[in-house]
Amino acid sequence: MTTTALPSETAMRRMATTDSTPTNSTNISPIDSPRSSPSSTSLSSLASEDAVQTKRQLQEPAQLVDSYGNKFEIPDYTIGDIHKAIPKHCFERSAATGLYYVARDMVSLATVFYLANRLITPENIPSTPLRAGLWAVYTFVQGLFGTGLWVLAHECGHQSFSPSKVLNDTVGWICHSLLLVPYFSWKISHGKHHKATGHMERDMVFVPKTREEYASRVGKMVHELNELTEETPLATAFHLFYQQLGGWPVYLMANVTGHNKHGGQRNGRGEGYKNGFFGGVNHFDPRSPLYDAKDSHLILLSDLGLLIVGTALYQIGKNFGWANLLVWYILPYLWVNHWLVAITFLQHTDPSLPHYSPTSWTYTRGAAATIDREFGFIGRQLFHGIIETHVLHHYVSTIPFYHADEASDAIKVVMGKHYRADTRGGPLGFLKALFTNMHTCHWVETLPGTEGENAGVYFFRNRNGKNLSPKVLQPGQKA
């Protein structure tokens, strides 16, 4: 599978100043001259022509290019075109198939737990370092299977698990609660994310910082961003570590990376609320502006699931030891969080992806502002293809994962050049992209000189001199 998110060497090449004076005048033919009249050969006439051409170029609206410098065009197809292209059987959901995969993942988790506790013991393995290493492998493997179960609960939230809403929500509530995820609360906010993907003011997750917001974060003026010194790889690594370790729980508790424009919420529920700890925007409070009043009972039901599982974990730690609880559950849980954040971050963050202002956004355009990647056996078998078929998932989220590859191939024909994928390097390329995109996607800004709908299209920029450079602004000039 080839990538459509590769940087263009030609586009990325810096514009060099060249001498337009011919080295050999005998190579010029009469048709090369600006005009056929004799006066066109005068220096004043040539200068006049150059001035007119330069003025015309300055007046023409700028063309859109992504952060790599590749030409970008706003998608021109409709959601109806997408639906028509997908074979009808791809929409069929099977409760039996869904339950089989849930059972498979749960049996895998139980089997690994049983074998580890039977085999990784001082009697069988006297070496403490070796036992520690094997238990570390245990936490990693359980994190993979746990992530698979998380994905299946996510399918339930989209009603792609089975034709039965009751079964979907029951299985989803159980599976997500086991992973300390507030099922209904996240289902509702995630549904809003799907309805506003790529929207700068209404998207619910990984909304990029504007130039102004990024400048405020680093304590600089807006016009100084293009002059900042390069962020060190160590600083990027620290930001990445923080995101991967704490990004998911902080998102649930404080809506970090979600939009922060809650004042427009219906019935005034968002007035006075803001993202951050103690700002009132979270996934646990029925009064949170993320929800409507009618959702309150579902938020409480989600909290009840967390309370039940939290109580069970407390009893396990109390009766079997907190060190055992750490290894058995908490460390695998952190691995699940890592994979969840990595997957979501890389689905929506890439130099090739646009974001849209409210006036330029449409559902079809926003759904195309995502990207597929490749994670090999783990991605396709253990993670149920959530990495490899995410573009399709944003267009038709009710298609079950076992039909997603076929449906993805079908919509690629419709999307054409608008389909984004980066499969370079497989699993290693996926992991490398975590650092690369953290290093190159700092904020978004529009392109200078764009007009109409194009003026509402944002692309990533950074302070590290990677890809296209940020706008050069004068003091007091707005981005």
Side-chain angles (χ1 to χ4, degrees):
M1 183 178 178
T2 58
T3 177
T4 56
L6 292 173
S8 169
E9 293 183 5
T10 303
M12 290 181 63
R13 198 174 294 131
R14 299 295 182 189
M15 296 290 289
T17 302
T18 57
D19 185 359
S20 60
T21 304
T23 56
N24 187 346
S25 61
T26 61
N27 293 330
I28 302 178
S29 68
I31 63 173
D32 292 325
S33 61
R35 285 197 297 261
S36 57
S37 65
S39 62
S40 66
T41 58
S42 68
L43 292 177
S44 60
S45 177
L46 288 172
S48 176
E49 288 291 338
D50 288 343
V52 171
Q53 179 67 15
T54 300
K55 183 177 181 181
R56 184 183 299 116
Q57 290 174 346
L58 290 174
Q59 292 175 344
E60 292 178 354
Q63 297 298 308
L64 285 178
V65 292
D66 65 19
S67 300
Y68 289 126
N70 296 325
K71 182 180 179 181
F72 178 85
E73 296 180 12
I74 295 175
D76 52 359
Y77 50 87
T78 68
I79 189 64
D81 297 331
I82 293 291
H83 277 265
K84 290 176 185 177
I86 301 173
K88 294 188 183 302
H89 68 266
C90 290
F91 294 90
E92 296 176 0
R93 300 159 292 172
S94 167
T97 303
L99 289 171
Y100 159 75
Y101 280 105
V102 169
R104 189 197 76 172
D105 287 354
M106 285 191 166
V107 168
S108 298
L109 286 163
T111 301
V112 172
F113 178 82
Y114 174 79
L115 292 176
N117 282 278
R118 286 295 300 267
L119 300 178
I120 310 176
T121 64
E123 294 77 17
N124 294 327
I125 305 174
S127 171
T128 300
L130 181 56
R131 283 203 316 277
L134 290 174
W135 277 113
V137 172
Y138 160 88
T139 66
F140 174 77
V141 173
Q142 291 292 73
L144 297 179
F145 288 127
T147 302
L149 190 65
W150 197 103
V151 172
L152 293 177
H154 163 261
E155 292 259 308
C156 292
H158 283 291
Q159 306 302 310
S160 59
F161 183 80
S162 81
S164 169
K165 186 177 185 299
V166 173
L167 178 63
N168 292 339
D169 286 342
T170 300
V171 173
W173 181 77
I174 292 172
C175 293
H176 261 170
S177 296
L178 289 172
L179 297 168
L180 296 181
V181 178
Y183 171 72
F184 291 103
S185 307
W186 184 79
K187 169 188 171 181
I188 294 169
S189 68
H190 185 64
K192 293 181 178 180
H193 157 63
H194 271 256
K195 292 177 182 178
T197 305
H199 194 296
M200 286 295 295
E201 295 185 5
R202 291 197 295 112
D203 201 350
M204 300 297 290
V205 66
F206 283 114
V207 179
K209 291 179 175 59
T210 62
R211 184 173 180 133
E212 292 82 357
E213 291 167 340
Y214 185 85
S216 176
R217 197 194 83 173
V218 298
K220 297 292 183 180
M221 301 297 291
V222 173
H223 71 274
E224 295 176 327
L225 287 190
N226 57 291
E227 303 170 358
L228 290 179
T229 56
E230 182 176 354
E231 180 183 73
T232 65
L234 184 61
T236 300
F238 173 78
H239 295 150
L240 182 61
F241 178 79
Y242 168 77
Q243 172 184 282
Q244 297 307 116
L245 184 65
W248 172 241
V250 172
Y251 171 68
L252 293 178
M253 291 186 287
N255 201 45
V256 172
T257 80
H259 77 76
N260 200 21
K261 298 180 181 297
H262 305 290
Q265 182 75 356
R266 285 181 292 183
N267 303 320
R269 285 175 63 90
E271 293 297 333
Y273 287 84
K274 60 181 179 180
N275 294 346
F277 291 102
F278 311 112
V281 186
N282 61 68
H283 284 73
F284 309 106
D285 189 343
R287 298 167 298 179
S288 171
L290 298 177
Y291 313 111
D292 294 329
K294 64 181 177 61
D295 300 323
S296 296
H297 68 291
L298 296 176
I299 310 309
L300 293 175
L301 185 56
S302 301
D303 294 344
L304 177 62
L306 300 185
L307 179 62
I308 293 172
V309 174
T311 301
L313 291 174
Y314 174 79
Q315 291 299 324
I316 291 173
K318 182 178 178 181
N319 295 322
F320 295 94
W322 301 107
N324 281 334
L325 179 63
L326 175 69
V327 175
W328 290 345
Y329 183 90
I330 295 177
L331 293 179
Y333 165 80
L334 293 177
W335 273 114
V336 173
N337 288 357
H338 157 72
W339 291 121
L340 167 62
V341 174
I343 291 167
T344 310
F345 174 68
L346 290 180
Q347 286 167 341
H348 301 283
T349 308
D350 190 85
S352 68
L353 297 181
H355 286 77
Y356 296 94
S357 71
T359 55
S360 296
W361 181 91
T362 67
Y363 178 84
T364 304
R365 295 170 182 178
T370 59
I371 187 168
D372 288 341
R373 300 185 188 273
E374 177 65 47
F375 206 53
F377 174 83
I378 291 175
R380 294 186 174 274
Q381 299 301 320
L382 302 188
F383 293 172
H384 307 296
I386 194 173
I387 295 171
E388 293 79 8
T389 58
H390 193 70
V391 175
L392 165 78
H393 177 67
H394 267 276
Y395 276 117
V396 191
S397 58
T398 55
I399 291 180
F401 71 89
Y402 41 85
H403 292 320
D405 279 318
E406 182 180 0
S408 289
D409 290 339
I411 71 168
K412 290 175 189 176
V413 178
V414 176
M415 295 183 69
K417 60 191 174 186
H418 304 293
Y419 170 75
R420 296 286 180 270
D422 187 353
T423 60
R424 293 169 294 172
L428 291 179
F430 177 88
L431 296 175
K432 181 181 177 181
L434 276 174
F435 181 87
T436 301
N437 288 357
M438 180 66 73
H439 200 58
T440 58
C441 299
H442 287 166
W443 72 86
V444 292
E445 60 183 45
T446 57
L447 275 70
T450 50
E451 297 179 357
E453 288 186 321
N454 288 358
V457 183
Y458 295 74
F459 282 101
F460 283 105
R461 295 291 183 265
N462 63 79
R463 57 187 285 187
N464 294 319
K466 308 295 183 182
N467 305 327
L468 293 188
S469 300
K471 296 177 185 175
V472 177
L473 302 178
Q474 300 302 316
Q477 183 180 358
K478 295 183 178 180

